Amino acid sequence: MEAATTSFSRVTWRHFSAALPVSKPTLSNSKIPKKPTTPAGSSTSLWTGSTHSLSFSSTANSFTRQVWGVINSTNATVRREMLPGGLIIRAEMFGQLTSGLETAWNKLKGEEVLTKENIAEPMRDIRRALLEADVSLPVVRRFVQAISDQAVGTGVIRGVRPDQQLVKIVNDELVKLMGGEVSELVFAKTGPTVILLAGLQGVGKTTVSAKLALYLQKLGKNCMLIAGDVYRPAAIDQLVILGEQVGVPVYAAGTEIKPAEIARQGLAEARKRNVDVVIMDTAGRLQINKTMMDELKEVKRVLNPTEVLLVVDAMTGQEAAALVTTFNLEIGITGAILTKLDGDSRGGAALSVKEVSGKPIKLVGRGERMEDLEPFYPDRMAGRILGMGDVLSFVEKAQEVMRQEDAEELQKKIMSAKFDFNDFLKQTRAVAQMGSMSRVIGMIPGMGKVTPAQIREAEKNVKMMEAMIEAMTPEEREKPELLAESPARRKRVAQDSGKTEQQVSQLVAQLFQMRVRMKNLMGVMEGGSLPALSNLEEAMKSEQKAPPGTARRKRRSESRRQFADSASSRPSPRGFGAKN
Ligand SMILES: Nc1nc2c(ncn2[C@@H]2O[C@H](COP(=O)(O)OP(=O)(O)OP(=O)(O)O)[C@@H](O)[C@H]2O)c(=O)[nH]1
């Protein structure tokens, strides 16, 4: 199989029809087929993006050359693959970004583990790919930093290659960058839901108004459109025609009346008709100006909308993100609709909007047809950018197996009181990987009352512990008794980690206390399996409920005994202060 990529401008039917002796193919709104279907015999199948699938049947080599020539003169990334029976040429959404990222994984082929050194070059490739995709620089910086932090902090997962591991890390960060979850449209609890659309000229507002009405009708909502673009008379006619096309009434009052007044009248009409959702199209401008903003503010005041959505053109890249920010500051918006994602957009807008503006992309336009509007799914988008669904699910499964094995191993260690500093570090890092401490604490039931200051303190403590554990020798990590027995060792760890001896002593004591507490908790669990969070919480409660002086005293004495047992060769139980 031969694969090649090249860069070019926008692939449209015009390019092909000019060069090819074939009739216009039908554009289908199908998702990317797993494998492009190759017509029988020697044939050529060509598809652009994930939405359009074009098929030609031809046996002539000159035809293939012509197709290739046309593609080379335009601007998307194309993958050319020789398959038995024909040539497959693929122009993919964000193709350039995808192939840029591919360069990064390829640099890790043959490596056994991700290290600071061997990820340096792939990180440069990722940075370059994102910048070329027109993602804003601060976003790129934060993204690359987050990836490298995770890449070097990730342990080896059995059977998973470092390049696959990096794909997974990048995927998860991409999803996070784009907002994580799908951001649903909000509907009013009573009365009609009002959606106000805003945006610059030509971004696709009028088209989106009708597309949105159709989309909502399919969800069972009864809609009405208001034609508020009084500056481009054709926009009103356009909306009326599109409204007819999707079977939605359009309120139009001509161009001689202020948009705010049209909004007021339109809303009254919608109430009369008892519609569920009113969508108002507004005028766009070539640039943001004060008159436009004031007019929009006035319309917004009259409508009191549930959603104010800024329509932005995906092809404007990071500029789209800047626009969302400006509109949000000026008029206050609830989200964005990204149009023309089927074009040669390089990905900058999709990747930057949420991170730069704090506002989610709620919907995306993927074509000129009325059906081409859909919710924005960050995970699906990341999957499309990476184009490596198989690798992702494989890594997820391997991680799951690893987690189970780790959990069993940990359980054994806890039961035999062998929980050491390696486990301690692993657990700490696992928590760190789940997100910031504040998020993790927020997820634990009953932990809501923890103050931000306490969380910051806890995060600081985790960093401090990490520094001290990293300064220990492998032997000391495995046998904390060595540190408990030797002030000299504790002194060395303190010096190497930049902490005080007292802090090191506290950490060692903490580990022994933890052993005892964990063992106690395990004893409370039924069946001896690792606790789910809720069980753990119950266990902690039942521990706390025990009358003072019984369990607690017992626990304290057990803690002391445990410490004494494990440090049996230690000269004195107060070894932490003693000289060696
Ligand atoms: N390929 C593609 N074209 C789109 C999409 N959305 C809108 N368009 C096209 O973009 C062009 C402009 O769309 P309009 O809806 O007229 O834009 P507008 O923002 O209302 O323009 P003004 O009224 O001038 O402000 C039209 O040709 C649409 O068909 C999309 O998702 N994909």
Side-chain angles (χ1 to χ4, degrees):
M1 187 188 289
E2 179 200 342
T5 55
T6 186
S7 207
F8 64 91
S9 179
R10 195 173 166 193
V11 184
T12 67
W13 170 243
R14 275 194 315 282
H15 292 105
F16 294 107
S17 55
L20 304 176
V22 286
S23 57
K24 183 171 180 173
T26 43
L27 296 179
S28 67
N29 186 31
S30 54
K31 298 256 160 15
I32 298 181
K34 279 243 154 56
K35 254 207 174 108
T37 40
T38 314
S42 180
S43 65
T44 300
S45 156
L46 185 146
W47 20 313
T48 62
S50 59
T51 43
H52 297 165
S53 161
L54 319 183
S55 297
F56 310 90
S57 276
S58 169
T59 49
N61 274 343
S62 65
F63 170 79
T64 305
R65 274 199 298 276
Q66 280 185 68
V67 175
W68 192 239
V70 172
I71 289 172
N72 274 326
S73 68
T74 53
N75 181 26
T77 295
V78 178
R79 195 189 288 249
R80 186 176 43 148
E81 290 167 2
M82 285 305 296
L83 294 179
L87 171 70
I88 305 296
I89 302 170
R90 297 196 302 164
E92 295 162 328
M93 183 177 63
F94 303 161
Q96 210 166 334
L97 175 57
T98 307
S99 57
L101 293 173
E102 249 170 40
T103 316
W105 335 131
N106 289 340
K107 298 253 169 79
L108 286 167
K109 295 255 158 80
E111 297 288 346
E112 296 202 339
V113 58
L114 295 172
T115 64
K116 212 172 171 180
E117 289 70 36
N118 68 16
I119 62 156
E121 228 189 300
M123 286 305 132
R124 272 195 291 276
D125 292 328
I126 292 175
R127 186 186 155 89
R128 196 176 307 123
L130 292 170
L131 287 174
E132 279 171 5
D134 203 16
V135 178
S136 86
L137 182 62
V139 174
V140 174
R141 283 204 186 116
R142 277 196 294 275
F143 186 84
V144 172
Q145 188 60 49
I147 305 264
S148 17
D149 287 351
Q150 284 182 54
V152 287
T154 311
V156 179
I157 305 172
R158 228 180 342 280
V160 177
R161 295 194 316 257
D163 55 308
Q164 294 170 324
Q165 231 162 317
L166 187 63
V167 170
K168 175 76 171 88
I169 295 170
V170 171
N171 175 75
D172 294 353
E173 278 304 310
L174 280 176
V175 175
K176 237 195 258 171
L177 186 65
M178 289 186 279
E181 304 274 295
V182 57
S183 182
E184 309 268 1
L185 284 175
V186 176
F187 296 102
K189 289 199 176 70
T190 53
T193 296
V194 181
I195 302 179
L196 175 61
L197 295 179
L200 300 189
Q201 211 173 70
V203 290
K205 273 183 314 311
T206 308
T207 320
V208 160
S209 310
K211 282 179 178 174
L212 186 54
L214 178 65
Y215 170 79
L216 292 171
Q217 271 191 325
K218 284 185 185 163
L219 295 183
K221 306 278 181 196
N222 172 14
C223 300
M224 194 190 103
L225 290 159
I226 303 177
D229 186 350
V230 294
Y231 299 100
R232 184 168 70 89
I236 297 179
D237 299 339
Q238 189 188 346
L239 195 67
V240 170
I241 294 168
L242 293 175
E244 260 169 35
Q245 212 174 309
V246 297
V248 171
V250 178
Y251 182 83
T255 54
E256 300 302 314
I257 167 171
K258 281 190 158 191
E261 182 53 24
I262 299 177
R264 198 187 57 72
Q265 292 176 6
L267 187 57
E269 180 67 22
R271 288 206 170 104
K272 226 191 290 166
R273 287 172 176 246
N274 224 1
V275 302
D276 301 322
V277 184
V278 196
I279 301 162
M280 175 147 176
D281 181 26
T282 57
R285 296 284 193 285
L286 278 176
Q287 288 169 19
I288 305 164
N289 62 32
K290 191 171 178 312
T291 325
M292 178 193 187
M293 289 301 186
D294 288 347
E295 206 173 82
L296 264 176
K297 278 181 206 164
E298 187 58 15
V299 171
K300 188 181 170 194
R301 197 185 56 74
V302 170
L303 287 178
N304 188 22
T306 323
E307 291 274 12
V308 183
L309 300 173
L310 186 72
V311 183
V312 282
D313 182 337
M315 287 197 251
T316 57
Q318 55 174 300
E319 210 182 298
L323 264 179
V324 177
T325 310
T326 312
F327 268 79
N328 187 39
L329 291 174
E330 286 282 333
I331 57 166
I333 61 168
T334 54
I337 298 182
L338 202 58
T339 59
K340 308 185 192 179
L341 214 63
D342 52 314
D344 71 344
S345 94
R346 289 172 290 165
L351 292 177
S352 311
V353 165
K354 178 73 199 323
E355 182 78 4
V356 171
S357 70
K359 291 289 158 185
I361 297 171
K362 295 208 166 188
L363 297 150
V364 288
R366 300 178 159 280
E368 295 184 66
R369 300 181 326 156
M370 288 296 102
E371 295 81 4
D372 296 335
L373 186 78
E374 55 187 62
F376 179 67
Y377 298 101
D379 54 345
R380 291 189 202 172
M381 189 61 73
R384 278 173 181 153
I385 291 172
L386 297 176
M388 295 191 116
D390 302 352
V391 172
L392 293 174
S393 45
F394 165 67
V395 178
E396 265 158 28
K397 280 204 188 90
Q399 278 175 332
E400 188 48 41
V401 170
M402 228 357 228
R403 269 195 289 275
Q404 276 172 14
E405 287 176 4
D406 262 9
E408 280 160 19
E409 185 63 20
L410 184 65
Q411 188 181 343
K412 270 189 222 146
K413 284 192 162 177
I414 291 171
M415 293 313 275
S416 59
K418 288 255 169 61
F419 184 81
D420 63 20
F421 278 118
N422 288 319
D423 305 312
F424 195 101
L425 196 60
K426 215 188 266 178
Q427 293 302 301
T428 313
R429 284 185 174 153
V431 169
Q433 261 175 31
M434 281 165 74
S436 79
M437 191 81 117
S438 45
R439 263 187 46 211
V440 176
I441 287 178
M443 288 186 308
I444 302 175
M447 294 293 247
K449 285 182 222 86
V450 180
T451 66
Q454 282 172 319
I455 291 169
R456 275 197 299 279
E457 188 58 29
E459 279 173 338
K460 223 168 71 194
N461 283 342
V462 166
K463 285 219 170 73
M464 195 167 77
M465 283 176 204
E466 270 195 327
M468 288 188 275
I469 297 173
E470 271 163 8
M472 293 173 192
T473 64
E475 208 191 359
E476 286 164 352
R477 287 192 204 181
E478 268 177 38
K479 292 188 192 132
E481 297 78 15
L482 292 174
L483 286 159
E485 288 160 9
S486 163
R489 282 180 187 266
R490 295 199 296 275
K491 191 171 176 181
R492 196 207 72 246
V493 170
Q495 272 167 357
D496 290 355
S497 62
K499 308 287 169 226
T500 64
E501 281 177 64
Q502 197 196 1
Q503 284 169 324
V504 177
S505 298
Q506 269 169 2
L507 177 67
V508 177
Q510 214 176 327
L511 182 104
F512 285 103
Q513 280 160 12
M514 229 169 132
R515 276 187 179 179
V516 177
R517 286 183 63 196
M518 283 180 140
K519 207 173 166 192
N520 282 346
L521 279 173
M522 292 301 291
V524 181
M525 305 306 145
E526 270 185 348
S529 65
L530 260 191
L533 264 185
S534 54
N535 294 346
L536 186 62
E537 196 193 15
E538 281 309 305
M540 284 174 124
K541 272 190 204 146
S542 67
E543 240 209 345
Q544 279 161 9
K545 270 187 215 144
T550 53
R552 225 175 283 158
R553 200 180 305 145
K554 198 172 144 217
R555 201 168 57 237
R556 234 180 280 137
S557 63
E558 201 177 323
S559 168
R560 279 196 212 110
R561 197 172 53 243
Q562 173 84 19
F563 187 84
D565 285 352
S566 53
S568 53
S569 56
R570 195 162 42 98
S572 130
R574 292 195 187 93
F576 283 172
K579 303 238 173 340
N580 220 13

